[in-house]
Amino acid sequence: MSGKGLAFAGEPRAAALNASLGWGMPTALITGVTGQDGSYLAELLLAKGYRVVGVVRRTSHDSYERIQHLVGKIEVVAADLLDQHSLQTVIKDTRPDEVYNLAAQSFVPTSWTQPVLTGEFTALGVTRVLDAIRLAKPDARFYQASSSEMFGAVREAPQRETTPFYPRSPYGVAKVYGHYITVNYRESYGLFAVSGILFNHESPRRGLEFVTRRISDGVARIKLGLAQTLSLGNLDARRDWGFAGDYVEAMWRMLRHPEAEDFVIGTGVQHSVRDCCDVAFDHVGLDWKRCVTHDPRLDRPAEVETLLADSSKARAKLEWEPTLGFAALIRMMVDADLVRLQGRA
C-alpha cells in the first residue's frame, strides 16, 4: 500500500495487513454513503475487497448521483440516525467489522436555521449509532466524522489533537458532542471507537452549497455564459483545504491502526476564499474581481476566521500524506463543472 490517493486495489501490503489482523473480507457499514465522503470511501473499500453496506434514510430525498456507478457493487439498507431501533437492526443483520458514521446535517449555515434538527442528527445521532454497536456488535470498529469546525475561535495555531475546542456554530457544537460521546463509549465500554478531526476536504462531488463548489460552479457558469456574477460571503476566511479522496484513506487507516486513537487530518497549508477565487477564475482566463460580488446574507452570524491543521500525528502513526495540492484541487473542480454544464450553454 503506497498511501497515495485511491490506487490500492490488489496491493500486497494491504492484503498482508488484513491477514495480520486476522481479517479476511471485512464488512463495512457506511452511514451517509450518498454524500461526498461516503462515495469516495465506498470506492476505496471496494477496491480493498470489502463487502460495503450503505445506510440511507427510507424517506431521504438525497440524490444517489454520487454512488450511481456503484450500483450492484454495494448493498443499500434503510435506517435513520433519528431511530435507534433501525440502526440496531441494521447492525445486527449486517454484522459489520467496521462502521463509518459519515451521516450528519453537515452544512454550517443551515445549523443556525435548524439548530435542533442539527443536534438530533449530528450530535445525538452519534450516540444512537454507538449504542447500537454496543448492543448488537460490540467488536465492530467505529469511525466518527469529527470536524475542524469544533475548533471555531481557535485557541492555538495550528490545531492539533490536544487543542481546546471553541465551536462557533450549532453545527460545531453538535460535532463536539459527537466527538466526546465517542471518547466516552471508548473509555466506558471498551469499544474501538475513534474520531477523525477532518479539516475542509473538497472534490467535484462536494455539495453546491459549500463555498469551494459554489466558486467552481460559478466560474463554470460565467465562462460558459450562463451567469455574469458570483455572490460570496466572507472572502477573508482562511481554511486548510484538501482532497476528499485522500481523506477517506485516513479514515480507513484509523480503523486499521492497532490502538483506538483520534487524529487530526489536514494538509498543513492554509488559503483564503479569495485565494480560491484567484485560482478558479485564473484557470479559465477570467479576473475574479470583475465577477465576484459580496452578499452579506452569506456571512456567518459568528465567523470562524482561520483553521489550520497540524496532522503530524497522523503522518507519523498512520503514514498518511495528502496527495493533491490546493491549486490542482480547485482546477479539477472547475474542470468537472465545465463538463457538467457544457450542454446547457
Side-chain angles (χ1 to χ4, degrees):
M1 182 178 60
S2 65
K4 303 297 183 182
L6 292 175
F8 297 109
E11 293 191 34
R13 191 176 167 195
L17 184 53
N18 283 349
S20 70
L21 291 172
W23 293 359
M25 183 179 292
T27 294
L29 184 73
I30 304 173
T31 71
V33 72
T34 60
Q36 169 189 253
D37 291 6
S39 65
Y40 279 114
L41 179 61
E43 286 177 351
L44 175 68
L45 295 178
L46 285 171
K48 293 180 178 296
Y50 278 66
R51 170 193 176 213
V52 177
V53 182
V55 175
V56 298
R57 298 179 68 201
R58 189 176 297 280
T59 58
S60 175
H61 298 292
D62 288 344
S63 170
Y64 281 37
E65 178 183 0
R66 296 184 183 94
I67 59 168
Q68 193 63 45
H69 62 297
L70 301 179
V71 171
K73 299 178 181 178
I74 68 172
E75 301 170 40
V76 176
V77 296
D80 198 316
L81 289 188
L82 302 185
D83 179 30
Q84 171 79 30
H85 177 72
S86 69
L87 293 168
Q88 190 168 327
T89 298
V90 163
I91 290 171
K92 181 180 177 181
D93 290 346
T94 60
R95 307 295 294 169
D97 299 287
E98 300 172 5
V99 178
Y100 297 85
N101 184 40
L102 309 185
Q105 190 303 101
S106 59
F107 188 46
V108 174
T110 298
S111 73
W112 276 287
T113 59
Q114 300 184 39
V116 175
L117 185 65
T118 298
E120 286 286 351
F121 275 112
T122 309
L124 293 178
V126 185
T127 310
R128 296 185 185 105
V129 177
L130 282 164
D131 216 49
I133 292 171
R134 180 181 69 86
L135 295 169
K137 189 69 165 58
D139 62 334
R141 296 190 169 201
F142 173 77
Y143 172 85
Q144 164 60 13
S146 288
S147 168
S148 60
E149 288 287 334
M150 300 189 303
F151 294 120
V154 297
R155 305 291 90 185
E156 63 179 355
Q159 294 84 56
R160 52 185 61 87
E161 290 80 7
T162 56
T163 301
F165 299 136
Y166 195 142
R168 296 269 284 169
S169 66
Y171 170 78
V173 171
K175 280 293 187 182
V176 169
Y177 176 96
H179 180 85
Y180 277 126
I181 199 66
T182 301
V183 173
N184 185 270
Y185 269 66
R186 179 170 71 219
E187 296 180 350
S188 300
Y189 299 113
L191 298 185
F192 192 104
V194 304
S195 287
I197 307 174
L198 272 56
F199 281 61
N200 295 65
H201 46 289
E202 320 297 318
S203 76
R205 301 179 193 175
R206 189 62 142 152
L208 286 166
E209 67 272 24
F210 292 88
V211 66
T212 52
R213 185 71 192 288
R214 185 180 181 89
I215 291 170
S216 66
D217 175 75
V219 167
R221 289 179 182 276
I222 293 170
K223 181 64 176 179
L224 295 172
L226 298 172
Q228 293 183 326
T229 61
L230 170 63
S231 296
L232 296 173
N234 181 9
L235 297 179
D236 296 318
R238 301 181 65 82
R239 296 290 186 271
D240 183 330
W241 277 299
F243 173 48
D246 287 336
Y247 287 40
V248 297
E249 188 208 342
M251 301 176 188
W252 175 77
R253 288 181 179 232
M254 287 181 216
L255 292 197
R256 289 306 182 94
H257 190 57
E259 298 178 17
E261 297 183 62
D262 304 324
F263 291 89
V264 162
I265 303 297
T267 70
V269 180
Q270 189 181 63
H271 296 275
S272 67
V273 176
R274 197 181 305 273
D275 294 335
C276 187
C277 290
D278 268 332
V279 173
F281 279 90
D282 182 69
H283 185 50
V284 297
L286 296 174
D287 181 356
W288 72 268
K289 297 181 184 68
R290 296 177 179 269
C291 304
V292 172
T293 62
H294 176 250
D295 185 346
R297 293 174 298 179
L298 298 175
D299 292 338
R300 295 185 181 188
E303 183 60 85
V304 174
E305 294 292 347
T306 180
L307 292 171
L308 178 62
D310 176 359
S311 58
S312 55
K313 178 181 174 183
R315 294 172 192 249
K317 290 194 171 186
L318 302 179
E319 298 181 4
W320 176 84
E321 293 282 348
T323 68
L324 193 64
F326 172 75
L329 170 64
I330 299 303
R331 290 193 292 265
M332 177 178 71
M333 293 174 67
V334 171
D335 287 341
D337 279 321
L338 283 168
V339 171
R340 179 178 62 88
L341 295 169
Q342 190 72 50
R344 305 185 194 180

